[in-house]
Structures are given as structure tokens and as C-alpha cells.
């Protein structure tokens, strides 16, 4: 019985002659299609051996097409972020502005003057791009852009403090996430970590006691990023650390993490230290991410004193962590929006932060009306969005979310993650929430459609 069913299975060659399969070969190429064919036939053989009849050719063909659709789909694809976490590390951090996307596309289509001095008609430097904009925006003497902020910190510590000592407060030996831990990066750079102060309180005198005029290469301040310490706490002001550094000619480095150029306070958030403040305090080197609060492409921004930046630029590690042309083009476009005073209109991260709660309520109600026909009970509820990205821990922005009351919110969330386009949501008080703050306005139509289709199936 099983043997006769097995014999009914067509050969690979036979299947290749089926019109629908020939069409798949045309679409996806012979290699991928053959892989899918073999996998389909293997699965059919297993099914027969477990007692099922041989499938029809149409069933086999449909299975091949399904496998190919999965195989040919890139593993990285866009999703709709309805979580309300603006700089969502797992969802690709900052969405990019129209101007930024255009700049990145333009420079990648053809050739560019990446390392070509157009005036001289000779070799130029990629490091000039974006540097002038960063100087103007932050007041720093010079700037260098690298792959990300982790590499900015590694490069700076390696170039300025290898085989020497770096002073850091015990309250700042942080883990950022993704395994980026300050003590580990320090070890990797070859710098020796010298902990000063205590977990909760560190004073300038703790640094000055530990400071050695020859061995100390750097005083490092690290932004706490993803946690806050409260209660009986103290950390010195940057200006006081700078004064101490100046006294002994020891540079002071500030790893800001989520470097911001704009003040967060007008939006009801706590004050996030700005890059300009660190530069104005006299910090020698400031490092920050391009894709956190700055709202641009992934990059590491290093700003500071001209002689130190020159040293970093010359270091062999700089080549290993350099940025590509699309990043530089995108970063320039993002920075230009700040220079023109258009950041809160143009840059998605800032537009999301700045969206008033009434506007969010309107969108949530619009979604609610559009989903009425599904019969699923919904309510527009007060909720909290967060900034994320290792900035402003514990700080929230009031929002209005659409809450769906379904028997199993977890199951619905899973089905939405598997939808096309996928939607990532959050669950609170046994309800599935959709926060309009992080859904791009141009995604509203797609979101409603996916919700309708998914709810109709359930
Ligand atoms: C996020 C962060 C980093 C790492 O930056 P990436 O751009 O993710 O490499 C380093 N330091 C601090 C303080 C951070 O918040």
C-alpha cells in the first residue's frame, strides 16, 4: 500500500515540466526551486510513510510555491511598530526621515565624491563629510564618524588610553545591552580600568585621589542610559571633572550614548544631556549614537578637541570601524534638518516625541471606527509611550492607545506578528494595545487592513 502510494509521487524531472513549476524556476531561479522541490517531495514521502495517500500534483506545486515564498523572502523586512517604544532597539531603532532616505538612495545609485577632492581632482578624505555639520551643531573643534557608538568608545579608549589608566565612577560601570559592558570594552581596548567612588556617590576628590600624573590617560564619564539611580546619590558636574583634568592635562571623555541635539524638557520629559552641553563644559571627547535620539542612521559620532580627533582618525582601528557612503549621506541629511531648525517636523523620532496626545487620540479613534465591522470590542484608553534606546529610563509620554479585548491577546499578538506587513504590539491588563505614537502616519492604511484581515480570520 505504502509502496504503491510512494510510486505515485512524480520525479523531480516530471515536476519541472509542470507549467506552474517552470514559472517558479523563471521567477526564483533553478537552484532555489530545486531545493524547494526536493523538500516538498521529502515531506510528501514522510507523509505517505505515516499512512497518508500520495498528494495530487496541484498540492505538491502549491507546497513548492509556499516554500519558495519563504525561502526567497529576506530574513530582514519592515514591520509596523505599534508598541509605543519610539527608539525600539529590537525593531531597528530610529526610522529615517524622507530627506535622509533620499540622500542615502542618491549616493548609492551611482558614484560619489566619497574620497575624492572635486576641486583638486585628486584623492580626498571620507572624513570631511558630516564633520563640518557636527562642528557647527555642537561647537566641537572637530568630529569623526564611525560605525556605531560602541566602536566610537572602543576606538577612543584604544587610541588614547592603551596600556594606561582610565578613571571611571563605580556608578557608571554599566551594561548597555547586547553585551556591551564598559569594563569589557575597557579590557578590549587595552586600557586599565580604575574604579573610583562608590555605587551611589562619587565626588571629584575620588577622581583626584586616584589620578596619577603619568599613568592616567583619561577620565571617563558614561551616561547611565538604561537605568537611573535615585536616593542618596552624587556624581560630579562635568565642568568640575574638566577642571580637574585641565589641572593635570588629562583629557575627559563623555560617552553620552543617546546623544541628543535637542532639549527633551519641552515635551514633559526629564532633561537628557545634550552633546552641546558636554562640548560647552570643555569635554575633550564626546561620543554618541547616530540612531538613538539623534534620529539618523546607525553611526558613532565622536566630537572633541582637534588634536585628539586627529589622533583617532590616524589610528589603524579607525579603518576597521569606518562608515560607508550611505551612512554618511544619511547622517548629513539628518544633521541638516537640525541646522535648518526642522528636526521636530522632519525627523520621525522627534515627530513622535512631539505629537500631542489629542492627535494620538484622533488616530486611535479613527482605527477604532475602521475596526468596528469586525465586531471585536475596542476602547481608546490612556496609556504610556516610552522613548527607549537607552535614554530617559523610567520616563513616559502620555498617549492614547486602541485596546482590543479578545479572549487571547497573546494569540492575537502572535498572529499579527505573522501577518503581512507584520505588526508588533504590546499587551497590558490582558488587552492588546496599539499605540499610534510609533505607527508612522503613512502606515495607518496598512495597519487597519492587516487588523481587519487578522481579526476576520480569528
Ligand atoms: C547605546 C550606548 C552605547 C552603544 O552605542 P551603539 O550605537 O549601540 O553602538 C554606548 N554607550 C552608551 C552610554 C550607550 O547608551
Amino acid at each position: 500500500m505504502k509502496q504503491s502510494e510512494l510510486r505515485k509521487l512524480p520525479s523531480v524531472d516530471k515536476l519541472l515540466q509542470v507549467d506552474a513549476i517552470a514559472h517558479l524556476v523563471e521567477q526564483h531561479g533553478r537552484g532555489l526551486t530545486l531545493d524547494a522541490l526536493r523538500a516538498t517531495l521529502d515531506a510528501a514521502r514522510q507523509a505517505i510513510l505515516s499512512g497518508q495517500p500520495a498528494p495530487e500534483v496541484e498540492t505538491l506545486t502549491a507546497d513548492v510555491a509556499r516554500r519558495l515564498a519563504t525561502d526567497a523572502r529576506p530574513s530582514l523586512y519592515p514591520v509596523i511598530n505599534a508598541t509605543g517604544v519610539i527608539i525600539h532597539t529590537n525593531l531597528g531603532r530610529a526610522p529615517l526621515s524622507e530627506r535622509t532616505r533620499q540622500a542615502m538612495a542618491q549616493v548609492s545609485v551611482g558614484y560619489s565624491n566619497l574620497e575624492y577632492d572635486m576641486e583638486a581632482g585628486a584623492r580626498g578624505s571620507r572624513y570631511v563629510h558630516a564633520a563640518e555639520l557636527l562642528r557647527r551643531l555642537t561647537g566641537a573643534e572637530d568630529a569623526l564618524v564611525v560605525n556605531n557608538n560602541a566602536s566610537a568608545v572602543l576606538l577612543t579608549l584604544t587610541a588614547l588610553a592603551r596600556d594606561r589608566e582610565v578613571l571611571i565612577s563605580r556608578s557608571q560601570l554599566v551594561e548597555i545591552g547586547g553585551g556591551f559592558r564598559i569594563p569589557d570594552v575597557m579590557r578590549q581596548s587595552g586600557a586599565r580600568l580604575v574604579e573610583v567612588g562608590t555605587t551611589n556617590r562619587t565626588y571629584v576628590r575620588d577622581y583626584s585621589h586616584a589620578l596619577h600624573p603619568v599613568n592616567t590617560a583619561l577620565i571617563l564619564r558614561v551616561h547611565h542610559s538604561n537605568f537611573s539611580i535615585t536616593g542618596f546619590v552624587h556624581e560630579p558636574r562635568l565642568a568640575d571633572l574638566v577642571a580637574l583634568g585641565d589641572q593635570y592635562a588629562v583629557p575627559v571623555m563623555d560617552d553620552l550614548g543617546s546623544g541628543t541635539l535637542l532639549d527633551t524638557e519641552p515635551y514633559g520629559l526629564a532633561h537628557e544631556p545634550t552633546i552641546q552641553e558636554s562640548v560647552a563644559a570643555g569635554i575633550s571627547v564626546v561620543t554618541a549614537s547616530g540612531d538613538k535620539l539623534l534620529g539618523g542612521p546607525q553611526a558613532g559620532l565622536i566630537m572633541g578637541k582637534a588634536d585628539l580627533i586627529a589622533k583617532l582618525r590616524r589610528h589603524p582601528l579607525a579603518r576597521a570601524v569606518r562608515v560607508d557612503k550611505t551612512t554618511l549621506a544619511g547622517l548629513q541629511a539628518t544633521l541638516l534638518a537640525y541646522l535648518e531648525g526642522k528636526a521636530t517636523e522632519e525627523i520621525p523620532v522627534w515627530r513622535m516625541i512631539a505629537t500631542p496626545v489629542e492627535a494620538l487620540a484622533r488616530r486611535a479613534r479613527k482605527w477604532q471606527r475602521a475596526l468596528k465591522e469586525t465586531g471585536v470590542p475596542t476602547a481608546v484608553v490612556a496609556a504610556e509611550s516610552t522613548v527607549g534606546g537607552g535614554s530617559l529610563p523610567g520616563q513616559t509620554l502620555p498617549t492614547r492607545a486602541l485596546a482590543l479585548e479578545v479572549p487571547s491577546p497573546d494569540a492575537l499578538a502572535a498572529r499579527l506578528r505573522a501577518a503581512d506587513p507584520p505588526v508588533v504590539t504590546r499587551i497590558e491588563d490582558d488587552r492588546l494595545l496599539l499605540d499610534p505614537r510609533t505607527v508612522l502616519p503613512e502606515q495607518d492604511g496598512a495597519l487597519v487592513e492587516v487588523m481587519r484581515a487578522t481579526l476576520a480570520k480569528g
Side-chain angles (χ1 to χ4, degrees), residues 89 93 147-153 174 176-177 180 182 221-226 255-259 272 287-292 298-301 389-391:
T89 302
R93 288 197 186 160
N147 180 62
N148 59 1
N149 190 30
S151 53
V153 174
V174 301
I176 309 302
F180 185 85
I182 290 297
R221 202 271 300 241
V222 178
H223 187 287
H224 294 146
S225 295
N226 45 18
D255 177 21
L256 277 178
S258 183
E272 177 74 14
T287 56
S289 285
D291 55 348
K292 288 182 180 171
Q298 176 190 304
L301 316 180
S391 61

Side-chain angles (χ1 to χ4, degrees), residues 188-216:
Q188 191 62 43
S189 73
R192 283 195 301 277
L193 174 82
V194 177
E195 299 175 22
V196 307
T198 62
T199 307
N200 56 331
R201 290 176 83 87
T202 303
Y203 303 93
V204 175
R205 63 169 183 274
D206 294 319
Y207 291 88
S208 64
H209 288 159
L211 198 146
H212 185 281
V214 177
N215 296 343
T216 306

